[in-house]
Amino acid sequence: GPARTEQEFVINFFIEHGTFGRGVQVNLLKKFALQMSYYAYVLYSKKFNRYYKGSCQDLNKRLAQHNSGITKSTRPFIPWEIIYFEHFETREEALKREKYFKSAAGRRFLKKTIHL
């Protein structure tokens, strides 16, 4: 269907034509693409049977951060694996979902969905 946002228009144009008009930089595409990817996620530490819920823009990078010990709250329970995630186009939606995961209703949802 037609692109809903300017970002999608630019990305679709690049995909179809493989190029931009003069003055449109690839950084712009990168910026747009990043802006459209936010995640709410659940990590699991098998070793400690422990769960962690968070949100981020880059799942691989975030998992690497958790497993490198940068994040104080997750450091004692390394190694972590991602066992569930959802994708959103805005940070607000991802944060809202992260908060939901941390609520009683969210924990029930996750139990049902991923058999925690």
Side-chain angles (χ1 to χ4, degrees), residues 28 62 67 104:
L28 189 65
R62 192 67 185 116
N67 280 325

Side-chain angles (χ1 to χ4, degrees), residues 59-77:
L59 282 174
N60 281 325
K61 201 161 133 190
R62 192 67 185 116
L63 180 62
Q65 286 173 341
H66 283 295
N67 280 325
S68 72
I70 290 170
T71 312
K72 224 169 154 183
S73 59
T74 55
R75 190 183 304 146
F77 310 106

Side-chain angles (χ1 to χ4, degrees), residues 7-43:
Q7 284 98 316
E8 287 174 282
F9 172 80
V10 172
I11 289 166
N12 290 338
F13 184 92
F14 183 72
I15 289 166
E16 281 172 36
H17 303 278
T19 184
F20 287 128
R22 195 186 334 196
V24 182
Q25 300 302 314
V26 174
N27 320 1
L28 189 65
L29 176 78
K30 276 191 187 152
K31 188 181 139 218
F32 282 161
L34 282 172
Q35 276 177 348
M36 292 171 64
S37 283
Y38 293 93
Y39 300 91
Y41 62 86
V42 181
L43 299 182

